[in-house]
Amino acid sequence: MTGKKKAKNKKAPESKGEFFVAINNPSSINQSLLETRKSVLESMKLFQDIKEIRNQKILKKDKLRAQVRQISSLLGKIKSGLPHVNISPESKEAVEQAPQKQHEELPKEKPQPKPQTELDRIETELAEVEHKLSSLS
Amino acid sequence: MMEQMPVFVRIAEPLDVRESIGLLRKKLTETEQLLNDLNSLMAEESAKIDEWKSNFHSINDKISNITNTLIAPERI
């Protein structure tokens, strides 16, 4: 008789690699498992919804980009259709001496010599327009 | 007195300019609508992500409970 076998607890005999666990309330575990499975499926569905929303966002952004380009080209067309008005020095002084309403600080910006990127070009043009607006007010 | 006098300018092709201005107004309206749509989509996305996060926490808790039950058995 080999003395190595020691039965420690009165539990089910251990066979190779099998481990038995007592679950007192199996129905609650079953319910938890099913609820978890349901939550996982809901998560997967949410992920698909988010993917769809992101696709729609990309489409909208593309449309917006195209619209902005069209607006920019229309503005250029309108600007070329309108005459360029040169203000004479006397009337320019009169405009500058008129009381200025201080909405914001508007420093007299000189246009930059050569804007390098599209953004620089737009910012330069914006500064010119703001300057013209402030001189009129 | 000079600045109060009206200024008359000659527009070479008034019909083209008027048409361009009309088109510009239309484009601006469409752009505004697009921006509103984008805003709604961003709000919807944010809400879905919050829901997803809460779902994830719930799954995490359930799995923890199941794991605790299975790994810490009662001794007979």
Side-chain angles (χ1 to χ4, degrees), chain A residues 9-11 19 21-24 29 32-33 35-36 39-40 42-44 46-47 49-50 53-54 56-57 60-61 63-64 67-68 70-71 74-75 77-78 81-83 85 88 91 94-95, chain B residues 2-3 7 9-13 16-17 19-21 23-24 27-28 30-31 34-35 37-38 41-42 44-45 48-49 51-52 55-56 58-59 62-63 65-66 69-71 73-76:
Chain A
N9 298 319
K10 290 182 182 175
K11 59 181 179 182
F19 186 72
V21 176
I23 299 171
N24 286 332
I29 293 285
S32 291
L33 279 169
E35 282 172 1
T36 306
S39 298
V40 166
E42 281 171 0
S43 281
M44 287 166 70
L46 276 171
F47 176 68
D49 291 345
I50 291 168
I53 289 170
R54 285 188 177 166
Q56 285 179 26
K57 264 173 66 177
K60 293 280 178 187
K61 280 181 185 173
K63 274 187 194 171
L64 188 63
Q67 290 278 40
V68 166
Q70 287 174 16
I71 286 169
L74 278 170
L75 279 171
K77 201 176 167 185
I78 290 168
L82 294 174
V85 178
S88 62
S91 58
V95 166
Chain B
M2 272 288 286
E3 61 270 13
V7 175
V9 293
R10 182 176 169 269
I11 300 174
E13 292 172 10
D16 284 352
V17 170
E19 192 184 326
S20 297
I21 290 174
L23 268 172
L24 183 65
K27 292 290 170 191
L28 286 171
E30 286 170 8
T31 306
L34 273 172
L35 284 169
D37 290 346
L38 261 174
L41 282 172
M42 282 163 65
E44 200 182 334
E45 186 188 12
K48 291 275 179 186
I49 288 175
E51 198 182 335
W52 201 22
N55 214 356
F56 169 76
S58 157
I59 291 170
K62 285 181 182 130
I63 289 184
N65 287 338
I66 293 168
T69 307
L70 292 177
I71 290 187
E74 271 191 26
R75 292 194 177 269
I76 301 171

Side-chain angles (χ1 to χ4, degrees), chain A residues 73-110:
Chain A
S73 111
L74 278 170
L75 279 171
K77 201 176 167 185
I78 290 168
K79 197 177 170 185
S80 65
L82 294 174
H84 179 66
V85 178
N86 286 323
I87 304 172
S88 62
E90 296 84 23
S91 58
K92 194 174 179 182
E93 278 175 16
V95 166
E96 281 176 0
Q97 281 170 12
Q100 291 178 1
K101 292 179 187 176
Q102 292 178 1
H103 296 289
E104 299 168 356
E105 50 178 16
L106 292 162
K108 198 171 182 180
E109 291 180 24
K110 291 183 182 176

